Amino acid sequence: MAKHPSIVPAVSGSDALTQDVLAGLKKSPKELSPVWFYDELGSFLFDSICELPEYYITRTELQIMREHAAEMAASLGPDAALIEFGSGTSMKTRLLLDHLEMPRAYVPVDIAREHLLDAAGTLARDYPHLRIIPVCADFTQPFDLPANVAVARRRVVYFPGSTLGNFDNVHARSLLKRMREIVGGSGAVLIGIDLRKDPRVLERAYDDAAGVTAEFNLNALRHVNRELGADFDLDAFDHLATWVENQSRIEMHLVSRRDQVVHLGGENIAIARGEHLRTEYCHKYTLEGFANLAGTAGLAVQRVWMDPQERFSIQLLEPRRIQ
Ligand code: AVJ
């Protein structure tokens, strides 16, 4: 069930990663990229989060897929080439593939090469007639599509999980624009979007009673310690998930329990007691707010599927007609 959101810093290589983390720690407030959540343990913890009673997102999206996948597939039509951003285990995709009429190809795009190839192999056994063309790439950066997919009549980007919510509005818009470019004038985007709701429900979804999300958040520090040789003390931070009304988002923070100094890349980073380190945004949209955002990226909402409680939505977007 793990998604591996491929939100990686714009630089790579250990030195560049160190510089990237240092730059975040020198900001005010301090920041650490959510990419650091996802090492082996982090992916396992995320899988556990998906099973938590408070974390409605994965369960609700699956429920909508089960209920409406046939209709979604019918709206996409025959001969579609399906391109999935951050494909992970392609779990939700199966529900779609089961209903698509003669799909031309499935292109899972993911940054985790081993997991990508494993998932593609498993899928190939279950869908022997489907042409599966995995692409190992960071979907936040431009990447090339396989030639035969680039010319398919109907190209569809599938982006489940509400991962778009992890990007601020500027980056969300440019990601939507990229999808618009990939699908061209006659394609479509099928995207999972989490909806605004009672802040208490949202805060619980990101601060569960069993403490799994807290462990997931703290694991980012463990990952940085191991990968970059930092010395964050995991016991010196508290997990915080807080609803920020004027940004319409949950923010996950780590709050320092004491004055401390962290060493990284030969530098000393002072962190004061009570100081916050921001690790993730999770924007929650109204239907209208998301339609506006998509509109600014040249995409128009054609269909919206929701669960009966309207907690989550899966939306079909198509390029806006040129006026
Ligand atoms: C996988 C990015 C959709 O934002 O809800 C879960 C990640 N963070 N609990 C989300 C996450 C904290 C999740 N996404």
Side-chain angles (χ1 to χ4, degrees), residues 60-171:
T60 309
E61 186 172 30
L62 277 168
Q63 176 194 341
I64 301 169
M65 289 299 292
R66 271 190 220 105
E67 189 80 14
H68 301 289
E71 233 175 82
M72 293 175 194
S75 323
L76 298 178
D79 206 28
L82 194 66
I83 302 147
E84 181 168 358
F85 277 30
S87 48
T89 57
S90 304
M91 228 268 261
K92 294 160 192 155
T93 326
R94 286 169 177 259
L95 297 168
L96 202 56
L97 290 171
D98 288 342
H99 294 280
L100 275 179
E101 188 185 340
M102 292 196 300
R104 169 168 291 254
Y106 172 54
V107 182
V109 181
D110 207 293
I111 192 133
R113 181 178 296 271
E114 296 288 299
H115 290 162
L116 174 69
L117 297 179
D118 276 2
T122 309
L123 207 65
R125 278 197 292 282
D126 296 341
Y127 298 84
H129 300 295
L130 180 65
R131 182 183 216 155
I132 303 171
I133 316 167
V135 169
C136 185
D138 169 6
F139 66 73
T140 66
Q141 305 299 317
F143 61 90
D144 286 330
L145 280 182
N148 51 344
V149 171
V151 300
R153 189 189 55 83
R154 178 98 157 138
R155 296 186 295 281
V156 176
V157 167
Y158 180 46
F159 191 35
S162 197
T163 302
L164 190 78
N166 291 144
F167 298 84
D168 64 31
N169 277 331
V170 171
H171 290 99

Side-chain angles (χ1 to χ4, degrees), residues 5 38 46 49 55 57 161-163 166 206 213 216 252 280 282:
Y38 299 97
F46 181 63
I49 288 173
Y55 194 75
I57 295 188
S162 197
T163 302
N166 291 144
Y206 291 88
T213 309
F216 175 73
M252 293 219 308
E280 189 177 46
C282 310

Side-chain angles (χ1 to χ4, degrees), residues 105-259:
Y106 172 54
V107 182
V109 181
D110 207 293
I111 192 133
R113 181 178 296 271
E114 296 288 299
H115 290 162
L116 174 69
L117 297 179
D118 276 2
T122 309
L123 207 65
R125 278 197 292 282
D126 296 341
Y127 298 84
H129 300 295
L130 180 65
R131 182 183 216 155
I132 303 171
I133 316 167
V135 169
C136 185
D138 169 6
F139 66 73
T140 66
Q141 305 299 317
F143 61 90
D144 286 330
L145 280 182
N148 51 344
V149 171
V151 300
R153 189 189 55 83
R154 178 98 157 138
R155 296 186 295 281
V156 176
V157 167
Y158 180 46
F159 191 35
S162 197
T163 302
L164 190 78
N166 291 144
F167 298 84
D168 64 31
N169 277 331
V170 171
H171 290 99
R173 177 176 303 116
S174 51
L175 191 55
L176 287 166
K177 274 190 181 158
R178 176 100 44 71
M179 295 182 191
R180 162 74 184 78
E181 280 159 24
I182 286 177
V183 304
S186 54
V189 173
L190 189 65
I191 187 168
I193 295 294
D194 196 20
L195 301 174
R196 275 184 74 131
K197 55 184 64 65
D198 185 338
R200 286 167 302 182
V201 173
L202 288 168
E203 288 183 346
R204 275 201 295 272
Y206 291 88
D207 188 9
D208 59 280
V212 183
T213 309
E215 196 52 44
F216 175 73
N217 197 6
L218 285 163
N219 184 56
L221 301 180
R222 191 184 281 123
H223 192 187
V224 172
N225 283 351
R226 190 185 59 240
E227 206 70 36
L228 304 179
D231 60 356
F232 283 104
D233 175 0
L234 273 65
D235 292 329
F237 291 89
D238 287 321
H239 167 70
L240 176 74
T242 184
W243 173 249
V244 180
E245 172 67 29
N246 64 355
Q247 304 284 348
S248 194
R249 68 191 181 203
I250 286 282
E251 293 188 4
M252 293 219 308
H253 295 193
L254 291 165
V255 184
S256 181
R257 299 169 66 121
R258 53 175 168 80
D259 289 339

